[in-house]
Every structure is written in structure tokens, then in C-alpha cells.
Amino acid sequence: MIIIRKFQPADFPWIIDIERKVFNEHDPYLYMKFYENYPDTFIVAQINGMIVGYVAGFQAGDGVGRIFSLAVHPLYQRRKIGNSLLNEIIHVFTEMHIKEMILEVRWSNIVAKKFYQKLGFFQYGIAEKYYNNAEDACLMKLRI
Ligand SMILES: CC(C)(COP(=O)(O)OP(=O)(O)OC[C@H]1O[C@@H](n2cnc3c(N)ncnc32)[C@H](O)[C@@H]1OP(=O)(O)O)[C@@H](O)C(=O)NCCC(=O)NCCS
């Protein structure tokens, strides 16, 4: 059974593990800082006591919510866990009177672009050389 709930500090090692497996690009301690600043919009998915995915978002302006990071452990992908995490953060953002959500995704990350498009996100721009390796970011938005 999957439990979707708010991040707790004891989840931190699981988050680091998932981050290293899927991105390996953020300083993991950013996530603790993130929790200190935005505890309501740092959400995890738990199965049998293990954390298998997370989404970290924050209010980025008046009526705007931004996704900082979203990931599902490779062994648990394609089971609608990403979907459940995103739906939960949409719910929380809605309660915060947020009207639109934005995020950036690597231009080469076809899977994530498909994933977000399926949930109704659309591309509204490109940030050139946004990432450390000079890759462009696809800017995506969802009206909620
Ligand atoms: C993107 C990610 C979070 C999706 O999570 P997930 O739990 O595997 O996705 P879901 O099972 O909820 O998929 C929902 C829909 O997204 C699309 N999708 C997800 N994975 C896909 C894949 N590998 N190939 C094609 N479409 C895919 C499908 O339309 C899917 O619906 P379907 O299974 O009914 O066809 C996950 O692949 C991941 O962690 N990737 C690495 C990190 C990343 O890229 N994060 C996003 C950038 S910030």
C-alpha cells in the first residue's frame, strides 16, 4: 500500500539515495534546507516503510507554485507514484490559492516531459544553457 505524506527528517537518507540514483546533481543537504523553508510542500511516497519517491515544491510568487524536484526510485517507476505525488502537491498548492505551477526539465528528459504533459503541463519557454553542462531547460506550466 502506498502512503503519500509530508516529508519528515527521518526520511532524509532515503531522499539522498533516490536523488543520487536518478539525478546525482543536487547537494543533498539542499533538501534539509528545503524542508526547513517549505515543510508543507515537501511530500514523500512510502511503501512498506520505505520512501520510494518525493516531490519538493514551493510558492514562487503570488499565485505561483514551483516544482524544485520530483523523483521516483528507479525500481518503483511506472506505477503511478509520480502521478500520486504530483496530484498531492497540486492539492496542497490549491489550498494555498495557487493558480499556476511551473517547473524546468532537462531538454533531453523525454520521459519527464511526457509525464508532465500527461498531467496537463505545457511548454511555455526554453531557458538556454540552464544546467551546469550547458543543457537547455524546457519550461513547463500547469494552470490549476
Ligand atoms: C518522471 C518520473 C517522476 C515519473 O514517475 P513515475 O512514477 O514513474 O510515473 P507514473 O507511473 O506516475 O507515470 C504517469 C504517466 O507518465 C508517463 N510516463 C512515465 N514514465 C514513462 C516512461 N518511462 N516512458 C514513457 N512515458 C512515461 C506515462 O504517460 C505514464 O502513464 P501510463 O503509465 O499510464 O502510460 C520518474 O520517471 C522519475 O523519477 N524520473 C527521474 C527523475 C526525473 O526525471 N524527474 C523529473 C524532472 S524534475
Side-chain angles (χ1 to χ4, degrees):
M1 198 186 80
I2 178 166
I3 297 170
I4 304 288
R5 62 164 174 78
K6 298 227 191 305
F7 170 89
Q8 296 163 3
D11 303 329
F12 188 47
W14 297 96
I15 304 297
I16 296 178
D17 181 55
I18 296 170
E19 196 282 336
R20 292 215 167 116
K21 285 190 166 77
V22 303
F23 298 119
N24 206 16
E25 64 184 23
H26 298 135
D27 174 353
Y29 290 93
L30 265 182
Y31 288 92
M32 276 314 279
K33 273 271 160 244
F34 200 93
Y35 166 68
E36 285 165 22
N37 291 324
Y38 311 107
D40 292 334
T41 46
F42 191 176
I43 295 161
V44 299
Q46 180 180 334
I47 295 181
N48 296 333
M50 296 179 295
I51 302 303
V52 296
Y54 66 86
V55 60
F58 61 102
Q59 181 157 9
D62 198 18
V64 180
R66 183 165 163 193
I67 302 293
F68 166 66
S69 184
L70 164 70
V72 174
H73 189 290
L75 295 177
Y76 289 85
Q77 289 179 3
R78 213 69 200 261
R79 299 190 197 182
K80 299 280 189 252
I81 295 169
N83 217 329
S84 303
L85 285 163
L86 208 53
N87 281 329
E88 180 60 19
I89 201 164
I90 288 171
H91 173 71
V92 175
F93 276 154
T94 303
E95 290 189 331
M96 293 163 68
H97 307 293
I98 278 171
K99 302 286 182 229
E100 65 178 31
M101 284 169 66
I102 55 170
L103 57 85
E104 309 84 46
V105 58
R106 279 184 185 274
W107 198 260
S108 60
N109 193 346
I110 307 294
V111 165
K113 288 200 272 189
K114 276 193 175 149
F115 166 80
Y116 288 123
Q117 275 162 0
K118 187 158 191 200
L119 280 142
F121 281 83
F122 60 92
Q123 183 189 334
Y124 73 96
I126 299 175
E128 289 184 3
K129 299 188 170 58
Y130 181 83
Y131 294 99
N132 284 343
N133 67 348
E135 184 171 353
D136 295 344
C138 173
L139 305 179
M140 302 189 83
K141 183 181 282 188
L142 174 72
R143 299 212 167 87
I144 56 177

